Amino acid sequence: MFVSHYKRFFNVLRSPQQAWWPYGGADWNMFALWTLLINSPPREEALKSCSASKVVRELRDMPPRRRRLLKAGYILGFAFLIPVLGLFFVPLFCLLALFKGKRIGPMQALRFGLYRCDCFMYPIIEDWERGKGAVSVLAQAVIHFSEVDIYRMYSLFIRAAHHMIDVYNAPEHGKVQDKLTFYAMCKELGLPCAAPLTPEDIKNLKEKDMPLFMKPSNEQEGVGAKVVETVDDPDLQRAVDKPDEWVVQKKLRNSNFLRQYFPPNPPLCGVRICTVMTKNGPEILESWIRVGAENAVADCPFSAGGCEFAINAATGEVWQGSDEKHMKLIDSSLEPSMTLSNGAKLPIGGVKIPEWEKSLDMCKRAHTEMAPESFTIGWDVAHTPDGPLMVEANLISNVGCFMGLRYGSMCQLWPRIPLMWLDLAQWMEGKSDYPPAPEKVKIAGIKSVIKESEWLLKRAKKEKEELTKRLKCIKTQDPEEENPLLKKVTTELFLRNGEIKGLNVEIDALKEALGELIPAGKGKLKKSPSMEPAGPSN
């Protein structure tokens, strides 16, 4: 564990000059955080082309003193604090967590701290275990994520890092985040979209044209959005005076079919479809629907009382979701668990999103035509009485862990997830600001990753067997009453099944990629004497 950690640390500090093949959560966690730190402030091309990106703005606005402290903290933390002092403090941390009612193993906590500090940071930023203190928050993170998650879980920090690399390699694609430019591109491609009003349209508005929806053209997450109820609203003049900074549209309505699963008077509830650019073209990576709270202006964020539900990418069927209460005040490891939106009367779980296939085709075409040099794009699609409409594009899109999804549940719902790390490794080949990987290094890297995945698969299968026995025992003891442990064990078993499914798909794809690089019969893998993966190859 420590050898692989320092090997990875050495590779990252010498990146992007060092030749190595980053793959998976452990490699990309360390590489992503360093990439973000050394790109603060961002270069001029990112500031000019992608000012709407929250990542670009936060890196731009970071005070120099904080920037220096974070870089020093990164080096000191990975070189000494976590691996060395962690040996002494982790047992104490586990003991304190036990007093808080959270049982975790020292090796589990140490591995998590060494390999996935991005997943440690996420619960702190998102305020899990609200009001229960730092020990409870960090202990919940260790409980929430499995061993497979440590190596295969995707995070927002990782997405932010490859987003920055994409912006540097193709800065012109930043224009898709500007809403006015995006609508013009949709119109040119013949994609249905929510067309904005021109300044002349706004000047000639009548009361019958109300209500309208108004938002900044270069903001995200509903920042600055409002509903305009009257033609004499003074904010409309701002859109007339500065048409490049504001978008004014007819207020869209949710489709009649979906409205019955929302609370009364909901905002427009959008579907987020994230596409990933593979070597064979765009595919669907993630999908969910945001259901805003009653009387809310926009469908996000959680803090406004809304909730979000994962959608099976292959079928368009809504699965389960979560909200702020379940993620921050209850046990996050049981999430997502909701099937009923807050304030709604009918459960949305099990409902198929109308015209799902059309929505997917729209997003794939938009990715191909608008920004083919971007690895992932999150598309917001509104399902209205007139059918699905493109609303906006997000080069930096959230990831499924914000609603409690983990690698296992993602693999059950989103078929492309097991191939995402290979897609990313192939996508980054030849990019500036990314480590070069000569064929020899790539072959060694793939062989190492196959061993790692096979090791993880073996561990997941063993855990599945233990959980199956435990579930049978619980049902035998309480055949009629619901044991409090039943939901926990059932959830964990669902996750292990997803991990096994995903790892099998990944191993097959890795072996195929290896076969393309070396002649038949010469790529046989040697059995590793180590229990645990040895880390990145270089």
Side-chain angles (χ1 to χ4, degrees), residues 114-319:
L114 279 174
Y115 290 176
R116 294 309 299 266
C117 66
D118 58 337
C119 290
F120 249 143
M121 293 159 63
Y122 188 78
I124 297 172
I125 295 170
E126 292 298 316
D127 196 21
W128 288 9
E129 299 286 295
R130 182 176 290 170
K132 296 182 181 179
V135 172
S136 287
V137 175
L138 296 179
Q140 184 61 28
V142 178
I143 292 169
H144 184 84
F145 296 107
S146 72
E147 193 166 45
V148 174
D149 289 329
I150 291 175
Y151 292 92
R152 293 294 177 267
M153 186 70 187
Y154 192 47
S155 76
L156 190 57
F157 291 96
I158 292 170
R159 179 162 285 174
H162 70 64
H163 162 61
M164 288 300 301
I165 294 173
D166 275 351
V167 170
Y168 288 151
N169 281 271
E172 67 276 8
H173 287 336
K175 63 188 178 184
V176 300
Q177 291 217 156
D178 181 278
K179 295 175 179 61
L180 291 171
T181 305
F182 173 73
Y183 294 133
M185 295 172 80
C186 284
K187 185 176 180 181
E188 184 179 341
L189 293 171
L191 292 172
C193 66
L197 301 180
T198 66
E200 197 62 32
D201 293 333
I202 296 172
K203 290 177 184 178
N204 296 321
L205 285 170
K206 308 294 182 185
E207 287 298 336
K208 64 181 179 63
D209 299 319
M210 299 294 118
L212 303 175
F213 189 73
M214 182 177 179
K215 56 188 175 183
S217 64
N218 230 356
E219 288 286 356
Q220 296 175 294
E221 298 180 353
V223 174
K226 65 169 288 184
V227 176
V228 179
E229 301 285 358
T230 61
V231 293
D232 56 357
D233 190 310
D235 284 336
L236 286 175
Q237 189 60 42
R238 296 161 66 186
V240 173
D241 296 338
K242 298 181 178 180
D244 293 338
E245 296 181 11
W246 292 92
V247 175
V248 180
Q249 303 164 309
K250 293 287 182 70
K251 187 173 183 290
L252 299 176
R253 294 190 303 118
N254 294 299
S255 79
N256 297 328
F257 173 73
L258 288 176
R259 208 158 45 216
Q260 61 186 316
Y261 305 106
F262 299 158
N265 193 29
L268 182 67
C269 299
V271 170
R272 170 64 59 86
I273 298 172
C274 184
T275 52
V276 57
M277 185 60 76
T278 74
K279 62 181 182 180
N280 297 317
E283 298 289 348
I284 306 302
L285 185 64
E286 303 153 321
S287 50
W288 59 82
I289 183 170
R290 298 188 297 259
V291 181
E294 182 177 355
N295 299 321
V297 173
D299 56 7
C300 60
F302 269 9
S303 57
C307 41
E308 311 208 19
F309 295 85
I311 301 173
N312 187 307
T315 65
E317 186 176 295
V318 178
W319 183 56

Side-chain angles (χ1 to χ4, degrees), residues 366-378:
H367 197 156
T368 301
E369 300 289 345
M370 294 184 186
E373 293 301 322
S374 294
F375 182 60
T376 59
I377 304 179

Side-chain angles (χ1 to χ4, degrees), residues 1-13 15 18-28 30-31 115 151-152 434-435 440-450 452 532-538:
M1 182 163 65
F2 292 101
V3 172
S4 63
H5 168 76
Y6 281 111
K7 193 175 182 180
R8 186 176 293 114
F9 184 54
F10 172 80
N11 285 336
V12 168
L13 289 186
S15 292
Q18 174 73 7
W20 67 302
W21 198 69
Y23 185 99
D27 285 356
W28 264 89
M30 197 179 284
F31 175 73
Y115 290 176
Y151 292 92
R152 293 294 177 267
Y434 188 75
K440 184 178 178 181
V441 170
K442 195 188 305 182
I443 289 171
I446 295 176
K447 288 181 178 180
S448 176
V449 170
I450 290 173
E452 180 180 273
E532 191 172 353
S537 297
N538 62 340

